Amino acid sequence: MGFPLLIFTDLDGTLLDHQTYSFNGAAATLERLRQLSIPLILTSSKTRAEMRKLQEQLGLNEAFISENGGGIFLPPGHALQDAGIFEQLDGDRGKLFGRSYAYIRSIFATVRDAYNIKGFGDMSVEEIMQLTGLAGEDALLAAKREFTEPFVFLSGPRQEKLQEAVSGSGLTITRGGRFYHLMGAGQDKGRAVVETTRLFRVGSRNNILTVGLGDAQNDSAMLRVVDIPVLIPRPDGSYADVEAPGLRRAPFPGSRGWGIIVADILGELAGQKAKPY
Ligand SMILES: [Mg+2]
């Protein structure tokens, strides 16, 4: 088994366009990855239920990382099934890094009024649809949280103060393209990416090169641990305040920028003497 190149990608605002959730702009590059059998590992703040559906739409049957590094999941029959670290979780095999949603919600309830915040657990499906632009069925999948609570500040954002308030409970806050997320302090996309890369490296004779793509603060831990980090601009063309060694900036937002820069990277690597794939 050899997987010489691994690509980890955020979804919202990165592989998926911010407003429409379309990945059309990356279609040609996605097809190229399929031809080359390069694993594409979705690494998102989305839930396992949402990501299963997206994997289907993208034609992927690959490991994926849900809810900002809350868990790594494998579809049935995946080559890493026997890696030993996975437990059976209703239909998927998974390794969990996050705290339970019930615990996150219990802490959320203690700070909700003082910070004037509202989480998915406080919202109707209609409200989630409005805030995310997702259709009803997809909004229901987004509400199936396991490790993180997405929320908004109803008055001014006070991320740092709230961070201090929840740190004693072992929780932390990160920020995605649309929402803040309350989650376990022991999880982030970086930790899950490191663990997934390690699993793919076991049993591979080649040195695996990793690429990571993201657009927001919640991607920074991932971008710091990959070999080739890529920052995708926001819809207005500006870049999130994210730093990583060797960081590349994609030329366009969303799927279009994603498709161009991944194609560039494949082209550069193919041109090198020792082919990485
Ligand atoms: Mg994003």
Side-chain angles (χ1 to χ4, degrees), residues 105-124:
R105 280 293 299 173
S106 73
I107 303 302
F108 190 88
T110 66
V111 291
R112 181 170 42 210
D113 293 344
Y115 289 85
N116 203 15
I117 52 180
K118 191 169 192 178
F120 271 27
D122 308 306
M123 297 179 196
S124 65

Side-chain angles (χ1 to χ4, degrees), residues 9 14-15 26 30 33 40 213 232 254-262:
T9 186
T14 299
L15 176 57
L30 288 168
L33 294 180
L40 177 61
L213 301 105
I232 303 277
S255 63
R256 184 177 173 215
W258 195 102
I260 290 172
I261 201 149
V262 172

Side-chain angles (χ1 to χ4, degrees), residues 42-235:
L42 308 183
T43 308
S44 174
S45 60
K46 288 183 179 296
T47 63
R48 174 157 59 120
E50 289 179 284
M51 295 185 74
R52 267 180 165 173
K53 182 172 176 183
L54 263 158
Q55 289 238 105
E56 236 171 78
Q57 291 169 343
L58 283 158
L60 291 174
N61 189 39
E62 192 44 82
F64 64 89
I65 294 165
S66 74
E67 294 192 53
N68 282 313
I72 304 170
F73 293 98
L74 297 178
H78 192 276
L80 293 180
Q81 284 280 2
D82 301 325
I85 63 156
F86 293 98
E87 40 186 307
Q88 192 67 38
L89 294 145
D90 49 272
D92 294 313
R93 290 182 70 75
K95 177 175 172 62
L96 312 187
F97 298 95
R99 304 293 297 264
S100 77
Y101 185 59
Y103 177 72
I104 308 261
R105 280 293 299 173
S106 73
I107 303 302
F108 190 88
T110 66
V111 291
R112 181 170 42 210
D113 293 344
Y115 289 85
N116 203 15
I117 52 180
K118 191 169 192 178
F120 271 27
D122 308 306
M123 297 179 196
S124 65
V125 179
E126 286 72 25
E127 279 178 287
I128 295 175
M129 286 168 70
Q130 233 167 36
L131 278 175
T132 58
L134 292 170
E137 189 195 332
D138 290 339
L140 278 174
L141 298 180
K144 289 191 166 181
R145 315 302 308 181
E146 292 179 297
F147 317 106
T148 60
E149 178 67 333
F151 66 93
V152 290
F153 285 94
L154 297 174
S155 31
R158 287 187 285 159
Q159 180 176 359
E160 276 171 33
K161 282 280 169 212
L162 181 54
Q163 170 79 51
E164 281 171 32
V166 298
S167 64
S169 307
L171 299 185
T172 189
I173 293 165
T174 190
R175 189 178 184 179
R178 270 189 180 82
F179 300 102
Y180 293 86
H181 303 264
L182 181 63
M183 60 189 205
Q187 74 170 83
D188 61 42
K189 289 187 181 185
R191 185 175 174 198
V193 163
V194 166
E195 181 65 10
T196 306
T197 303
R198 188 185 69 77
L199 290 172
F200 274 87
R201 279 188 174 141
V202 174
S204 169
R205 271 186 261 153
N206 305 308
N207 185 26
I208 294 175
L209 208 59
T210 56
V211 178
L213 301 105
D215 72 319
Q217 187 203 331
N218 65 333
D219 299 309
S220 64
M222 165 173 71
L223 296 180
R224 282 198 298 268
V225 298
V226 293
D227 299 310
I228 305 176
V230 177
L231 187 62
I232 303 277
R234 302 183 182 108

